Each structure stands twice: as structure tokens, then as C-alpha cells.
């Protein structure tokens, strides 16, 4: 069993994107057999540019306000909102609020490409 407070996991940069950090709570390195569980933290104004992967994302917003863009659709989301991003869909995240935009993002283990 692994039990901890998420702040016990050091935040890491996300591909050098300014104002964006990720905390990997579970994944390959932690011995998870199926999924990677991450918490993203985006500073006000931060943007994760449009990109795509071969796997789905399950996103649950913990705090703040942002825009999630999937293909040609954009949705404003906030605390308690859920977004399913299908495999292969181009997607982006933008913090439009004045505080940290914090969300859980779960992906299949094949998406855990950490060195």
C-alpha cells in the first residue's frame, strides 16, 4: 500500500512549459500495474499547448478555473468538473483564473514515459 499527502511528492516541470508542474503519485516507478495518476498545477495564465497521445485522459478538477480544449471544442471547467479526453484527440489546458488550476489526470500506464 502507498498512502501519502500529494504535497509529499516533489513537483516536476512539464516539458519546460513555464508555470506548469506535475506530481506523479502513481505510475511505473511506483509499481502501479495499470494506470498513472498525476496531479497538475498550473499558475495563472499558464498554457499546456495543443498536443495528442494514443491514450485517453481522465481529468478531474480540484481547484481553480481553466479551459480544456479537445479538438475544436473548448469548455470552461472548475472545481468538481470531469473531462474525458479520447485517445488521439488533440487537447490543451489553459489557466484562466487568478489562482492555481489544479487537476488530477489519469492515463493508462503506457503513457508513463518518464525516464
Amino acid at each position: 500500500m502507498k498512502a501519502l499527502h500529494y504535497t509529499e511528492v516533489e513537483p516536476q516541470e512539464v516539458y519546460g512549459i513555464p508555470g506548469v508542474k506535475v506530481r506523479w503519485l502513481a505510475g511505473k516507478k511506483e509499481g502501479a500495474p495499470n494506470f498513472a495518476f498525476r496531479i497538475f498545477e498550473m499558475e495563472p495564465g499558464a498554457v499546456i499547448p495543443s498536443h495528442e497521445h494514443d491514450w485517453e485522459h481522465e481529468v478531474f478538477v480540484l481547484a481553480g478555473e481553466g479551459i480544456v480544449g479537445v479538438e475544436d471544442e473548448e469548455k470552461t471547467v472548475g472545481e468538481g468538473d470531469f473531462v474525458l479526453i479520447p485517445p488521439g484527440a488533440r487537447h490543451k489546458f489553459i489557466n484562466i483564473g487568478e489562482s492555481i488550476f489544479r487537476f488530477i489526470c489519469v492515463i493508462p500506464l503506457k503513457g508513463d514515459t518518464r525516464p
Side-chain angles (χ1 to χ4, degrees):
M1 178 172 82
K2 179 178 183 179
L4 52 76
H5 192 272
Y6 82 96
T7 58
E8 294 177 59
V9 175
E10 282 296 315
Q12 300 173 4
E13 288 189 9
V14 177
Y15 307 117
I17 301 170
V20 180
K21 301 283 186 185
V22 62
R23 298 174 194 259
W24 288 82
L25 276 68
K28 288 179 184 175
K29 289 183 178 181
E30 295 76 22
N34 298 304
F35 299 98
F37 186 102
R38 305 149 329 146
I39 294 182
F40 281 82
E41 297 171 320
M42 298 178 64
E43 298 286 336
V47 175
I48 298 175
S50 185
H51 62 286
E52 62 187 75
H53 310 283
D54 292 336
W55 52 84
E56 79 273 11
H57 294 50
E58 286 85 20
V59 175
F60 184 80
V61 179
L62 297 169
E65 184 179 24
I67 290 174
V68 178
V70 178
E71 297 292 350
D72 295 330
E73 185 178 356
E74 290 188 348
K75 175 137 175 94
T76 300
V77 295
E79 182 179 337
D81 286 333
F82 171 80
V83 180
L84 174 63
I85 300 171
R90 291 199 62 74
H91 57 283
K92 65 182 175 183
F93 299 87
I94 305 168
N95 183 346
I96 59 170
E98 296 180 12
S99 61
I100 295 288
F101 179 39
R102 181 177 297 115
F103 56 92
I104 295 167
C105 183
V106 177
I107 57 174
L109 204 57
K110 70 179 180 177
D112 184 349
T113 57
R114 294 176 287 170

